[in-house]
């Protein structure tokens, strides 16, 4: 019977939540040992890429970002942070009496684990157990990376709202739906698109409508013309992406690789 300690993030010392989790896991592993199992509880600490990155950057005395100092220098600073707080975390677990097998202690960024991770993913991919595809993502404009849904606080806006955004000196306007018109090819009329991110129209490459929306049935497969650079934007049908009752019922689509972020923004338009 083997369990792995969910690696604590190397962001600071453990708190009462970690103590509770460790107590539950310790009870599990001790019960298995008492029940006659060959039981193993494996310890480790996690590099917590984004979380540790943020903490280390905030603690830096110089006003330089990780981009200013370079990858190698920044990684060395992260490892120094890990040596300081990773040791604190493991010492706390020992003082709690957690019955881990300390001879198997590891760190997710050490050489063996770093090699094992891509090896595991490649094997799973070759066996058809995981796949790679385009999906909607949450893009952090400050960290300049995609982050998990569990790290996002979702906020529904019903009207114009001014919000403070990291990296901006003044509040940013949200919750305003802007409509603009694309002329159709051949002078056959126009199609109105609604969005909260009007500035992203520069990357538009298509327009999506619901296949059952009677307003646009005669425009399926036709093309709109981008007024700035003349790019032809095909009008496509998508019953999942488009809600015909929201906005104008026409959704603008960006060219890859920005499409993942744009679709998320369009879906969170309220």
């Amino acid at each position: 019977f083997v369990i792995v300690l969910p690696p604590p993030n190397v962001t600071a010392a453990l708190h009462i939540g970690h103590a509770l989790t460790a107590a539950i896991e310790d009870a599990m592993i001790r019960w298995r040992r008492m029940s006659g199992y060959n039981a193993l509880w494996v310890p480790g600490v996690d590099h917590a890429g984004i979380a540790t990155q943020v903490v280390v950057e905030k603690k830096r005395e110089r006003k330089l970002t990780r981009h200013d100092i370079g990858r190698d220098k920044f990684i060395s600073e992260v490892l120094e942070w890990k040596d300081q707080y990773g040791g604190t975390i493991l010492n706390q677990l020992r003082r709690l009496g957690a019955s881990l097998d300390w001879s198997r202690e590891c760190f997710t960024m050490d050489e063996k684990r770093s090699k094992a991770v891509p090896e595991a993913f490649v094997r799973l991919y070759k066996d058809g157990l995981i796949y790679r595809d385009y999906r909607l993502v949450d893009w952090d404009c400050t960290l300049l990376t995609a982050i998990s849904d569990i790290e996002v606080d979702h906020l529904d806006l019903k009207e114009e709202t001014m919000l403070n955004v990291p990296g901006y000196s003044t509040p940013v306007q949200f919750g305003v739906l802007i409509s603009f018109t694309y002329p159709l090819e051949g002078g056959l009329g126009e199609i109105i698109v609604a969005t909260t991110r009007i500035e992203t129209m520069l990357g538009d490459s298509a327009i999506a409508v619901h296949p059952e929306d009677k307003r646009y049935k005669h425009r399926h497969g036709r093309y709109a013309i981008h007024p700035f650079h003349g790019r032809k934007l095909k009008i496509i049908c998508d019953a999942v992406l488009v809600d015909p009752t929201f906005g104008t019922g026409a959704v603008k689509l960006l060219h890859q690789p920005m499409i993942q972020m744009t679709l998320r923004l369009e879906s969170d338009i309220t």
Side-chain angles (χ1 to χ4, degrees):
F1 181 80
V2 181
I3 58 175
V4 179
L5 173 75
N9 295 342
V10 189
T11 50
L14 298 184
H15 52 64
I16 192 65
H18 293 103
L20 174 61
T21 302
I24 294 172
E25 293 166 346
D26 192 56
M28 290 170 55
I29 201 71
R30 289 176 186 272
W31 172 250
R32 289 295 179 173
R33 290 196 194 102
M34 293 168 62
S35 300
Y37 284 81
N38 185 15
L40 171 64
W41 188 13
V42 182
V45 290
D46 184 28
H47 68 284
I50 295 176
T52 303
Q53 167 189 310
V54 172
V55 172
V56 172
E57 283 196 293
K58 285 183 177 179
K59 294 292 183 181
R60 302 184 81 251
E61 295 179 359
R62 302 180 301 279
K63 296 299 182 180
L64 297 175
T65 68
R66 63 188 186 282
H67 304 290
D68 295 326
I69 65 173
R71 179 184 179 87
D72 292 340
K73 174 62 176 175
F74 186 72
I75 288 179
S76 69
E77 291 190 3
V78 171
L79 292 176
E80 289 177 9
W81 179 269
K82 175 260 175 183
D83 290 339
Q84 176 183 354
Y85 284 96
T88 299
I89 289 171
L90 296 177
N91 184 52
Q92 286 178 295
L93 288 169
R94 284 184 168 92
R95 293 175 65 187
L96 282 171
S99 55
L100 293 138
D101 183 349
W102 294 107
S103 68
R104 299 173 183 266
E105 179 185 327
C106 60
F107 174 52
T108 52
M109 279 185 69
D110 64 31
E111 186 175 359
K112 288 181 66 176
R113 256 54 62 173
S114 294
K115 289 181 178 179
V117 170
E119 174 68 22
F121 272 92
V122 169
R123 288 190 186 185
L124 290 169
Y125 178 79
K126 288 181 177 179
D127 291 342
L129 299 174
I130 61 174
Y131 64 93
R132 185 177 184 179
D133 204 346
Y134 290 113
R135 286 293 181 267
L136 306 186
V137 298
D138 300 297
W139 181 258
D140 189 306
C141 298
T142 300
L143 298 175
L144 300 180
T145 187
I147 58 177
S148 166
D149 276 350
I150 64 174
E151 297 179 276
V152 176
D153 293 326
H154 294 276
L155 180 63
D156 290 332
L157 304 178
K158 304 302 181 184
E159 57 187 9
E160 179 184 4
T161 306
M162 304 300 290
L163 299 175
N164 293 318
V165 177
Y168 290 81
S169 58
T170 58
V172 178
Q173 180 192 62
F174 289 91
V176 176
L177 196 61
I178 301 173
S179 298
F180 64 96
T181 301
Y182 274 132
L184 295 178
E185 185 180 36
L188 299 177
E190 60 189 28
I191 186 169
I192 301 176
V193 177
T195 179
T196 58
R197 295 293 297 273
I198 185 67
E199 68 276 14
T200 61
M201 70 173 294
L202 297 172
D204 286 355
S205 60
I207 297 172
V209 298
H210 195 282
E212 300 302 321
D213 193 335
K214 296 180 180 180
R215 296 172 295 175
Y216 301 116
K217 280 202 170 184
H218 62 293
R219 294 174 179 170
H220 294 177
R222 295 187 180 277
Y223 289 87
I225 304 299
H226 201 293
F228 290 169
H229 44 62
R231 179 189 296 149
K232 295 172 67 174
L233 313 177
K234 188 173 183 178
I235 300 174
I236 62 175
C237 296
D238 193 309
V240 176
L241 173 65
V242 182
D243 178 358
T245 66
F246 184 78
T248 64
V251 177
K252 57 198 283 310
L253 303 179
L254 286 186
H255 183 66
Q256 294 287 4
M258 294 180 67
I259 190 169
Q260 296 99 321
M261 180 176 68
T262 303
L263 294 184
R264 185 54 182 246
L265 290 169
E266 293 291 336
S267 66
D268 289 344
I269 208 168
T270 56

